[in-house]
Amino acid sequence: MPIIVEGAATNAELFTSVTGPGSEVVATLEELKRTLSEKPDEFAVVLGPGVDIDAAAALADTLRVTRPATSVILLRRRVDTSVLAEALRSGMREVVEERDLAALGEAVKRARQVHRALSGPGAAAPAEGPVGKLITVFSPKGGVGKTTLAVNLGIALSAHERRVCLVDLDLGFGDIAITLQMFPARTIADAVGLEPDLDFAALEPLLTPHRNGISALVAPVQPDAKDSIPASLISKILVVLKRHFDFVIVDTSPAFDEHVLQAFDETDDLLLVATLDVPTLKNVKIAAETLDLLNFPRARRRLVLNRADDKVGLTAEKVESTLDMHIQASIPTSHEVANATNSGEPIMASNPRHPVSLSVEALARTIGGLDASPAPAPGGSHAEHAPRRIAAPKRGLLRRVAK
Ligand SMILES: Nc1ncnc2c1ncn2[C@@H]1O[C@H](COP(=O)(O)OP(=O)(O)OP(=O)(O)O)[C@@H](O)[C@H]1O
Ligand SMILES: [Mg+2]
């Protein structure tokens, strides 16, 4: 998101109201240079009316050559021909009157388009090129361990030097943030309004980094914010994230709601979570039948039996025969799972040798294709080990439901 050079707080607030919530404000050109050097993908710099015109022109002149995809937008109290001539000479992309916030918004939009066009195929064409794998963790029942599995699986994959992003699509009552003890400044609700120009530059400021190396796009704080999030935004977000992470792991609400259906459209591996109780099995069976109706390929579904060693009169064989699915992973019950979560360090991070962690690790290896790839070199870059695949064709589940 744009970096704004503006010393006055009230001005800065006005400008960020149109440039987007992820915009960064700095007070001086020196600070701008430092911030820019840490943001190689930045698409726009907005120079407030207080920035000296000669210094602004010198900066634009440098960026024109060193970072042609980064647009310089100059704000002036009055735009006259001398300002325009100077701007033209130095290679600034836009000059806008400081009070014309609508024009500033438009200038930022154009800057983003220029950045996309100039930043090569990665930024320009999200529908092409290699993409990461999207894993959706789903169950029609609440409380079966979806969030626990999503978070621990993310930590397991991240430990293998994979770039992982968790997305909390339990939009009403998401638990990813609390499970990871994160205090996010932004949530998925902040992505509303970023359409149709949604790209990674716009999405990145909404991600919350976690100390275990994963990023998270967390659910809104207020449950009713879900209603303001259009379902169509979900697939756009997921498509963008798949281009920038090796694994995108989606945690879901226990329902086939429209947002979750959008996620299914982008899903490569669907982890269906069951436990050893009859109501859950009944509902997972119905969910599997619904997936059949939606033509969600069986080959992409994997059954995960959580609390698999509970002594409750049902066996794993019974689960497999009832659901007509092979159990891909069995995760034992342990009170340490909840203990670990409550202490803010999921079990995979606090005790990687714990039987629960070992089951999740085995699952991570299978779905991540990690056994076939070389062990991560200490300090090696994520990209070097990134499993690269070609995007699956869009299947349009939501559209089929609507038929
Ligand atoms: N294998 C396990 N052993 C013991 N406790 C577990 C196990 N897996 C999950 N739990 C606990 O069960 C509870 C519910 O887990 P979790 O929140 O992951 O379920 P969920 O399916 O995401 O629930 P919801 O549908 O409400 O989002 C948590 O307290 C969690 O610590
Ligand atoms: Mg949950």
Side-chain angles (χ1 to χ4, degrees):
M1 295 300 279
I3 308 172
I4 302 171
V5 184
E6 176 56 59
T10 42
N11 273 354
E13 209 172 304
L14 269 181
F15 301 151
T16 50
S17 70
V18 288
T19 57
S23 308
E24 195 161 331
V25 180
V26 295
T28 64
L29 285 179
E30 282 316 304
E31 264 186 78
L32 169 72
K33 285 173 194 160
R34 267 199 307 280
T35 312
L36 256 184
S37 67
E38 289 158 11
K39 293 183 152 194
D41 278 340
E42 183 52 69
F43 71 92
V45 165
V46 178
L47 303 178
V51 175
D52 173 69
I53 183 74
D54 293 333
L59 175 83
D61 205 24
T62 309
L63 291 182
R64 176 165 64 121
V65 180
T66 56
R67 297 179 55 152
T70 308
S71 296
V72 175
I73 301 169
L74 182 71
L75 296 178
R76 293 289 99 169
R77 191 146 299 134
R78 273 187 52 244
V79 178
D80 55 29
T81 46
S82 72
V83 170
L84 284 174
E86 185 65 65
L88 204 63
R89 264 198 300 278
S90 59
M92 288 178 203
R93 228 162 244 131
E94 308 261 356
V95 185
V96 178
E97 282 199 17
E98 69 169 285
R99 292 184 191 288
D100 195 348
L101 294 180
L104 175 59
E106 286 303 311
V108 168
K109 212 182 222 178
R110 283 192 291 273
R112 189 179 274 144
Q113 286 162 353
V114 169
H115 183 267
R116 273 219 202 119
L118 294 180
S119 299
E128 295 166 12
V131 290
K133 190 175 204 183
L134 193 135
I135 301 164
T136 297
V137 184
F138 179 73
S139 178
K141 274 299 253 188
V144 294
K146 298 181 292 296
T147 303
T148 305
L149 176 60
V151 163
N152 285 288
L153 186 62
I155 294 173
L157 289 166
S158 174
H160 284 276
E161 302 286 312
R162 266 47 177 186
R163 296 166 300 178
V164 177
C165 184
L166 286 168
V167 178
D168 198 340
L169 279 195
D170 189 350
L171 296 175
F173 300 97
D175 290 332
I176 293 275
I178 193 103
T179 301
L180 288 172
Q181 292 213 346
M182 296 189 302
F183 303 95
R186 309 272 174 220
T187 75
I188 196 168
D190 292 301
V192 176
L194 296 181
E195 292 176 287
D197 292 321
L198 190 75
D199 59 10
F200 193 62
L203 214 44
E204 195 176 19
L206 310 187
L207 303 180
T208 308
H210 184 259
R211 60 183 173 281
N212 285 113
I214 51 189
S215 299
L217 185 56
V218 305
V221 182
Q222 300 298 336
D224 58 356
K226 175 180 181 175
D227 302 334
S228 64
I229 301 174
S232 59
L233 179 60
I234 301 302
S235 22
K236 288 187 177 135
I237 289 173
L238 297 177
V239 165
V240 170
L241 291 177
K242 277 171 88 169
R243 292 296 315 277
H244 289 269
F245 289 91
D246 300 319
F247 292 96
V248 177
I249 301 177
V250 177
D251 186 22
T252 56
S253 57
F256 280 101
D257 64 29
E258 53 177 352
H259 299 97
V260 169
L261 285 173
Q262 288 281 340
F264 286 171
D265 262 358
E266 306 302 332
T267 296
D268 298 293
D269 270 316
L270 178 64
L271 302 185
L272 263 178
V273 186
T275 48
L276 288 168
D277 60 280
V278 171
T280 299
L281 277 194
K282 181 209 82 177
N283 286 319
V284 172
K285 177 123 186 103
I286 293 171
E289 287 164 2
T290 308
L291 289 167
D292 286 341
L293 289 174
L294 294 169
N295 282 331
F296 188 93
R298 287 186 175 214
R300 291 175 189 228
R301 306 179 206 171
R302 296 169 190 264
L303 179 61
V304 177
L305 186 59
N306 192 21
R307 298 172 171 271
D309 54 351
D310 281 352
K311 301 284 177 276
V312 286
L314 267 178
T315 61
E317 292 71 34
K318 182 74 186 159
V319 171
E320 289 191 326
S321 64
T322 305
L323 298 177
D324 190 22
M325 279 180 89
H326 159 71
I327 294 173
Q328 180 80 58
S330 293
I331 302 173
T333 293
S334 169
H335 67 274
E336 288 174 51
V337 172
N339 280 353
T341 305
N342 291 343
S343 68
E345 194 76 321
I347 192 134
M348 194 74 213
S350 59
N351 188 355
R353 306 307 302 163
H354 189 281
V356 167
S357 306
L358 294 177
S359 319
V360 175
E361 166 72 12
L363 178 63
R365 284 182 169 277
T366 309
I367 58 181
L370 303 180
D371 286 331
S373 61
S381 89
H382 285 183
E384 280 166 30
H385 301 285
R388 289 304 187 193
R389 304 163 50 261
I390 301 302
K394 275 186 72 70
R395 295 178 293 279
L397 293 184
L398 197 60
R399 285 189 292 284
R400 279 203 290 280
V401 170
K403 273 187 186 166

